Amino acid sequence: MSSVVNTEGARAHRRASAAVRESLRGLAVQLSLLNQGVGGRLELKGTDVGCLDLVNRLGPLSPTALAKAAGMHPATMTGVLDRLEKGGWVARERDEADRRAVKIRARKDRNGEVLQAYAGMNTAMEELCAGYGVEELELINDFIRRTATAGQGAAEELRAG
């Protein structure tokens, strides 16, 4: 009897795990579509939106560090930064200690436009989170953070060949 219970428990776990993976795939698609829409609203390519977000969250940082964080080749990053700078989204600044070094800084005066483009999603997330307690939100956050780390590792493996 206990092996039947264990087998049924294992099957239920596999089904639940598969459902989580399927939900994450659906989420990835929807977030990609959202970012494409935001990019269209801001007149940016999807890749540019992602890089702008990285600069806002991690910056200021060097073009090399940004390329690494975005999983992009440095030459590709140059084109992204050229577009973002031309559009007034970022500024390239010389490092005071090493005039050869450049840091990329987000133009904070443009943040309102980005926030406005994501306003619908931010409102929906606030409403969604209101239905959960603090402990549940902490668990969800831990799962999302760990999933992002796993995705980063898988992406690095793919790039390494």
Side-chain angles (χ1 to χ4, degrees):
M1 180 71 175
S2 65
S3 66
V4 172
V5 171
N6 289 341
T7 303
E8 288 176 17
R11 282 189 199 131
H13 190 273
R14 280 194 304 273
R15 281 192 304 274
S17 180
V20 167
R21 288 191 307 274
E22 185 62 27
S23 292
L24 287 171
R25 289 176 64 198
L27 174 62
V29 169
Q30 292 307 314
L31 291 177
S32 178
L33 292 171
L34 173 64
N35 285 337
Q36 286 177 22
V38 167
R41 173 77 50 95
L42 301 175
E43 298 180 1
L44 294 171
K45 293 183 176 186
T47 303
D48 299 354
V49 172
C51 289
L52 178 59
D53 182 57
L54 287 170
V55 173
N56 269 309
R57 289 189 298 120
L58 307 175
L61 65 169
S62 71
T64 302
L66 178 58
K68 183 173 185 205
M72 298 173 76
H73 190 277
T76 304
M77 183 55 64
T78 299
V80 170
L81 291 175
D82 287 347
R83 287 189 301 273
L84 289 172
E85 185 177 41
K86 183 178 178 184
W89 295 102
V90 300
R92 288 179 168 117
E93 298 176 341
R94 296 278 175 206
D95 188 315
E96 292 298 323
D98 179 359
R99 297 291 298 159
R100 296 169 298 170
V102 173
K103 294 285 186 185
I104 307 304
R105 180 185 53 78
R107 299 265 317 271
K108 299 298 182 189
D109 59 317
R110 302 291 305 268
N111 279 349
E113 294 170 69
V114 176
L115 290 173
Q116 182 60 39
Y118 281 106
M121 182 61 171
N122 288 336
T123 299
M125 290 305 302
E126 285 296 324
E127 292 171 1
L128 181 64
C129 288
Y132 293 92
V134 172
E135 288 180 7
E136 292 169 312
L137 289 170
E138 288 172 348
L139 178 64
I140 292 166
N141 184 53
D142 178 64
F143 178 80
I144 292 171
R145 192 174 22 81
R146 291 170 61 191
T147 300
T149 299
Q152 181 182 14
E156 287 171 2
E157 281 182 31
L158 284 173
R159 283 192 296 276

